[in-house]
Amino acid sequence: MGTPVVGKVYLVGAGPGDPGLFTLKGKTLLEHADVVVYDALVSPEILAMCNPRAEQINAGKRRGRHSMVQRDTTQLLIEKAKTHAIIVRLKGGDPFVFGRGGEEMQDLQQAKIPVEVVPGITAGIAAPAYAGIPLTHRAYSSSVTFVTGHEASGKYRPQVNWRAIAQGSETIVVYMGIHNLVHISQELQAGGLPAETPVALVRWGTRSNQEELVGTLGHIAQQVEATGFEAPAIAVIGSIVSLHEILADCRPESLSIMSPD
């Protein structure tokens, strides 16, 4: 017989970074956790909420700097559930929005490990909001598409159909797209979006060091190169971005704004 399972794994969304946006349920679980396995984008303020006696393990994944491969992370969760009662898998944003939460939940279920998801506020909603950009507005946009700019190898289809997205949604929110921005911009224009379409990039959204770079689809990639703007960042594409300056006073005063010359 195998080792009996004594614990439960909670896939907890840490939100985009501002600790005020973290859920009460997530905070309670952190305060009582025996083990916390956290991602690279979880803010220090959120980690400070952990039970001081909890074992904290960094399983963060950043481009080119993987602390732990996915299968090892899942195996770690399985092993910890055999010896501890409350295991928190703390993931930036929301576990089920480009956070591999679905994959981890499947693997844990197959291993007969009790698992529960605790949603978090995803950066694709929170970062634009903190930049004064509503994703919908009756005069600008009645549709939003959330899409990743960084696709897994061996996935179910070869690539995102950016040209179809260009025609299918009034507002496009791209996660993890900075490194592929040239290709994304070219494909969206080939799909019919004008080069003058407004674009906003929001780096470290909702945190005190949030930065914004505003431009147009035809020139945003050059602006990124010229300014040294780096990931992690959310891209918002569409006419709704024009409200960025109109609603500027709604942003926290400490945030840094980068605009084209």
Side-chain angles (χ1 to χ4, degrees):
M1 296 181 62
T3 304
V5 175
V6 299
K8 182 174 183 178
V9 175
Y10 295 86
L11 304 179
V12 178
D18 182 344
L21 299 179
F22 192 38
T23 65
L24 290 174
K25 187 170 185 177
K27 182 175 183 291
T28 300
L29 284 168
L30 280 188
E31 291 171 344
H32 293 85
D34 300 301
V35 180
V36 178
V37 181
Y38 63 93
D39 279 348
L41 295 182
V42 175
S43 68
E45 293 85 356
I46 300 294
L47 287 175
M49 300 179 188
C50 290
N51 175 0
R53 296 180 296 278
E55 180 183 5
Q56 296 186 29
I57 303 171
N58 183 355
K61 297 177 181 65
R62 294 291 300 280
R63 182 181 174 90
R65 302 191 303 274
H66 285 200
S67 297
M68 190 177 295
V69 297
Q70 188 62 48
R71 64 178 177 272
D72 291 343
T73 299
T74 304
Q75 188 58 41
L76 173 66
L77 296 173
I78 293 170
E79 293 303 319
K80 292 299 180 181
K82 296 176 181 178
T83 56
H84 297 80
I86 301 176
I87 301 92
V88 171
R89 175 69 172 105
L90 192 60
K91 307 175 78 67
D94 180 90
F96 281 0
V97 182
F98 306 120
R100 305 188 186 184
E103 299 170 37
E104 293 182 3
M105 178 169 275
Q106 282 183 302
D107 291 341
L108 290 165
Q109 285 186 320
Q110 289 176 2
K112 309 300 182 184
I113 303 296
V115 57
E116 179 180 331
V117 65
V118 179
I121 297 177
T122 182
I125 293 174
Y130 270 52
I133 303 172
L135 296 184
T136 64
H137 188 295
R138 288 190 298 173
Y140 292 85
S141 174
S142 297
S143 58
V144 184
T145 294
F146 296 92
V147 59
T148 178
H150 175 71
E151 302 178 80
S153 59
K155 65 194 300 293
Y156 62 94
R157 56 179 176 162
Q159 62 183 12
V160 170
N161 190 338
W162 294 102
R163 299 187 186 192
I165 290 174
Q167 294 298 317
S169 186
E170 294 166 294
T171 301
I172 305 167
V173 179
V174 184
Y175 291 68
M176 299 172 285
I178 296 298
H179 296 286
N180 294 322
L181 196 56
V182 172
H183 172 73
I184 292 169
S185 299
Q186 291 173 344
E187 285 296 294
L188 289 174
Q189 290 177 78
L193 279 187
E196 297 76 23
T197 302
V199 178
L201 306 181
V202 186
R203 168 179 161 85
W204 293 121
T206 80
R207 304 189 187 203
S208 60
N209 59 337
Q210 176 174 314
E211 295 178 344
E212 301 158 23
L213 180 63
V214 181
T216 62
L217 191 61
H219 295 94
I220 192 66
Q222 292 93 323
Q223 290 174 237
V224 166
E225 183 175 357
T227 60
F229 195 91
E230 297 181 339
I234 291 288
V236 186
I237 303 167
S239 62
I240 198 75
V241 173
S242 62
L243 292 176
H244 171 79
E245 288 305 321
I246 298 174
L247 301 179
D249 290 341
C250 300
R251 297 191 301 260
E253 294 182 359
S254 61
L255 299 185
S256 174
I257 314 300
M258 301 173 66
S259 300
D261 294 334

